[in-house]
Amino acid sequence: MAKIKIELKRKGANYSATAIYDTKSNIVKIEKGSKMPPTITGGSQIAKDERTKIRGGKIVDAEGVFQDDYDINPVQQGDANTPLARASDIIAGFNNGLKDWKIIGGDYPEYIGKTMQEWTIDYKRKKCSSGETDDLVHTDNDMYLGQNVIFYGVPGCGKSHEIKKILEGVDTKYYKRILFHPEYSYSDFVGQLHPVTEGGNITYPFVPGPFTEILLDAYKDREHDYFLIIEEINRGNAPAIFGDLFQLLDRDDNGESEYSIYNKEIIRYLNKWERSEEYRDNIRIPKNLTIFATMNTCDQNVFTLDTAFKRRWRMSRIENKFDSILSTWKIRFENGKDVSWKDFAEAVNDAILNNCNDGTAAEDKQLGTHFIKQCDLTSARRFAEKVLMYLWDDVAKYDKSQLFDTKNYKTLDMVIDGFAKGENVFSPNCAQLQELYNNMKQSKQTDNDAAGVPSGTEPGADRPVEGAPETADEEQNKE
């Protein structure tokens, strides 16, 4: 256990505080000289009651300055897991998790900071799972707030689903989702001048793009977090789309752009609609605007992200991990056999990693957990037309024999037809796939033995492909 020195500040806000956080007692001691707004009314009811007590006890002066140290005790259920929640709620009138607190000294600050973040995440998960809500709980997004984050991984691993989980419970008015594509431009993203005819006169007003729109929202409402979601960021020329906004992606420790830029049209638009007393002569990304993006790691014919661009993003890889539910998803072949999607995909991924190391990134070509939807399992043929086509055209693009039995299945049509019938269309070098098919064959034979069906006579039994070369034994018998 340890004591750490922390501070709560926000640029332009009418409050600031330094405190000592005791990790053993979970008491936050607000230090003398700290300040809360004298007329603050926001926050949870518990925070409002505490502020009434503070003001009534003359603990702060008329300006809201603390005249002595003041202990905030974690009396609310759950506060032991979020020891700073009530402190920020009392001082600032709202709680955005740990992002507003900064560790400035004390014992083991790095360890304590990590522990504080884990406590907050666990607490929020417990509250969400129990169905409880209160003013102190937002979502699991706190660990990403005020950052630029790219979620990346193999196709179908659940990148967009991860963002969906993070934003669970966030009102749609607080985020915008867009998609980058080869024709998407800076003008689409930021905004552009559009001709408008009124009364015979032509004017060219600035029509904002999604970035400028949500930037304005975040400036106007500093007490809420806003999110810009960019799907498939590498399908467009991202550095060109961001243009001069590239400079804003460098953020300081508080989550605000470290450097500002001058953009006349955006500044003019913000000054017109923000309705702030302060005239803005430059722009920054504020700390309450978070940017999420998704990126497939194996897409063909897409734009690459250069190092200078990527280093300004936090890279978060989505683990391609199959859960138990996917074991119940079955691929049902026309011969009556079946195999789980989980077992099949893991066997294919093993083959990709072991056989497709031809200078390409084999790891990035694996099948993602949700590469398919459950509706793709309505027939083995429909499944094959999606999955095997990907394996044939993209994964084994230059050497089909890496994955497929090209001696007996020479075309994609033959592969799809054989697979749908339950035949083993894969290369003998794919060990885990061979084991999977052997297990299916043994399981089917066991069922046939119980039913009294002779081996090899069941409908749809594996058989040589029409026109395939004869085996050595067949050739010897013919002679």
Side-chain angles (χ1 to χ4, degrees), residues 293-310:
T294 65
M295 180 177 73
N296 274 339
T297 50
C298 79
D299 279 334
Q300 307 287 323
N301 303 318
V302 297
F303 292 91
T304 58
L305 301 181
D306 59 72
T307 302
F309 186 82
K310 284 195 294 186

Side-chain angles (χ1 to χ4, degrees), residues 326 329-332 341 370-387:
L326 296 177
W329 290 21
K330 298 291 184 181
I331 307 166
R332 303 189 187 280
W341 159 241
H370 288 79
F371 187 92
I372 62 165
K373 295 184 176 181
Q374 202 163 6
C375 60
D376 292 319
L377 298 171
T378 53
S379 75
R381 195 170 297 273
R382 172 173 171 170
F383 174 88
E385 287 168 346
K386 182 173 187 175
V387 177

Side-chain angles (χ1 to χ4, degrees), residues 399-413:
D399 184 0
K400 311 302 183 188
S401 65
Q402 291 176 329
L403 295 181
F404 296 98
D405 178 7
T406 52
K407 180 179 179 181
N408 293 318
Y409 302 89
K410 301 182 183 301
T411 67
L412 178 59
D413 285 342

Side-chain angles (χ1 to χ4, degrees), residues 232-448:
E232 308 285 358
I233 191 170
N234 58 331
R235 284 195 170 275
N237 188 351
I241 292 170
F242 272 85
D244 56 345
L245 305 181
F246 178 95
Q247 186 73 10
L248 303 181
L249 294 176
D250 271 317
R251 302 211 191 199
D252 59 24
D253 292 340
N254 292 322
E256 186 174 279
S257 292
E258 189 168 357
Y259 308 104
S260 64
I261 64 167
Y262 175 80
N263 184 302
K264 182 172 65 176
E265 295 301 336
I266 296 179
I267 291 172
R268 183 183 297 167
Y269 178 80
L270 294 176
N271 284 325
K272 178 180 179 180
W273 296 107
E274 188 181 357
R275 305 196 186 285
S276 170
E277 295 180 1
E278 175 187 0
Y279 179 82
R280 192 173 301 282
D281 59 6
N282 59 61
I283 59 171
R284 299 175 187 263
I285 297 176
K287 65 185 296 183
N288 64 324
L289 176 54
T290 300
I291 304 177
F292 289 152
T294 65
M295 180 177 73
N296 274 339
T297 50
C298 79
D299 279 334
Q300 307 287 323
N301 303 318
V302 297
F303 292 91
T304 58
L305 301 181
D306 59 72
T307 302
F309 186 82
K310 284 195 294 186
R311 79 168 186 80
R312 289 167 166 81
W313 295 77
R314 172 179 172 180
M315 306 298 289
S316 180
R317 185 173 182 86
I318 303 302
E319 185 179 4
N320 191 37
K321 187 176 181 180
F322 289 82
D323 57 34
S324 57
I325 294 177
L326 296 177
S327 297
T328 64
W329 290 21
K330 298 291 184 181
I331 307 166
R332 303 189 187 280
F333 302 101
E334 293 171 1
N335 64 359
K337 300 177 183 178
D338 66 59
V339 64
S340 78
W341 159 241
K342 175 179 180 294
D343 291 343
F344 176 80
E346 288 180 340
V348 168
N349 288 343
D350 177 76
I352 292 173
L353 291 175
N354 288 314
N355 297 355
C356 299
N357 293 312
D358 54 0
T360 59
E363 179 184 5
D364 293 335
K365 294 182 178 180
Q366 296 178 90
L367 295 175
T369 56
H370 288 79
F371 187 92
I372 62 165
K373 295 184 176 181
Q374 202 163 6
C375 60
D376 292 319
L377 298 171
T378 53
S379 75
R381 195 170 297 273
R382 172 173 171 170
F383 174 88
E385 287 168 346
K386 182 173 187 175
V387 177
L388 269 64
M389 180 181 180
Y390 166 70
L391 298 176
W392 182 273
D393 287 344
D394 291 339
V395 180
K397 185 174 184 177
Y398 301 109
D399 184 0
K400 311 302 183 188
S401 65
Q402 291 176 329
L403 295 181
F404 296 98
D405 178 7
T406 52
K407 180 179 179 181
N408 293 318
Y409 302 89
K410 301 182 183 301
T411 67
L412 178 59
D413 285 342
M414 295 173 69
V415 166
I416 290 174
D417 187 61
F419 179 87
K421 294 174 180 176
E423 298 169 7
N424 184 356
V425 300
F426 295 98
S427 167
N429 295 327
C430 302
Q432 198 166 320
L433 278 167
Q434 296 304 319
E435 182 181 355
L436 186 68
Y437 272 87
N438 287 337
N439 290 339
M440 281 196 294
K441 190 172 184 179
Q442 291 170 9
S443 175
K444 184 66 176 177
Q445 186 57 47
T446 300
D447 294 341
N448 289 337

Side-chain angles (χ1 to χ4, degrees), residues 149 151 159-167 170-172 174-180 184 189 210-211 214 226-233 242 289-294 313:
V149 187
F151 297 93
K159 298 174 287 295
S160 296
H161 182 68
E162 180 69 17
I163 294 176
K164 181 181 178 180
K165 288 194 301 180
I166 292 170
L167 296 183
V170 177
D171 194 295
T172 55
Y174 296 122
Y175 62 83
K176 293 184 184 294
R177 177 178 274 106
I178 61 174
L179 173 73
F180 278 10
Y184 201 79
F189 186 53
F211 175 83
I214 202 164
Y226 287 81
F227 303 86
L228 177 63
I229 305 162
I230 304 171
E231 299 282 5
E232 308 285 358
I233 191 170
F242 272 85
L289 176 54
T290 300
I291 304 177
F292 289 152
T294 65
W313 295 77

